[in-house]
Amino acid sequence: MKYFIALLLITNLSFIQEWSKTELTEFASIEFPSTPEKTNSNGITYYSASDDLGADVVMIKDLGNPRMTQSELPKFYEGVISGSLKSVNGELLEKGKFQSNGIKGMEILYTANSDPELPNLRYKRILVADNNVISYEYWTFKENEKLASANKDKFLNSI
């Protein structure tokens, strides 16, 4: 019974949480569970926020000129996925395509094995819009996967 009550409290807290809509570019916004921290490094803009169940991370980079063509996107997405997995000694669990507002992207589910202090289960979506790559991820620990599901879905589907 104690576990059931704890689960109800956690579930209710996730619905009570006040989400923050953040403008990423002139054409894209996303919702975070709280006001995100914004940093810039080497021409890349990062946004991050976290709560008790997970972390939300967004990366945006202008790809410059020449503009990327639709035919170049699959190879580009594969490169981003490969680099993401390599950087955290990750293991790919799932990979697929998704569409958001008519823009086609790739999504993956992977485990990160580089730092046991950081969440190890990661959901990543990558898309290119107006020649900007937008990568957004939800990180949680495997043991929190079910509890974090609502927050993950809300974040990933809010772009």
Side-chain angles (χ1 to χ4, degrees), residues 3 14 33 49 51 59 67 77 98 105 115-116 126 137 141 147:
Y3 297 110
S14 69
D51 60 23
M59 185 252 354
R67 296 186 71 79
Y77 289 148
F98 78 97
D115 186 342
I126 312 142
E137 298 189 47
F141 288 98
L147 287 174

Side-chain angles (χ1 to χ4, degrees), residues 12 23 37 60 85 91 96 104 123 144 148 151:
N12 285 336
E23 299 296 324
E37 181 180 318
I60 305 163
L85 295 173
E91 179 184 342
K104 295 177 183 176
Y123 299 82
N144 291 341
N151 284 0

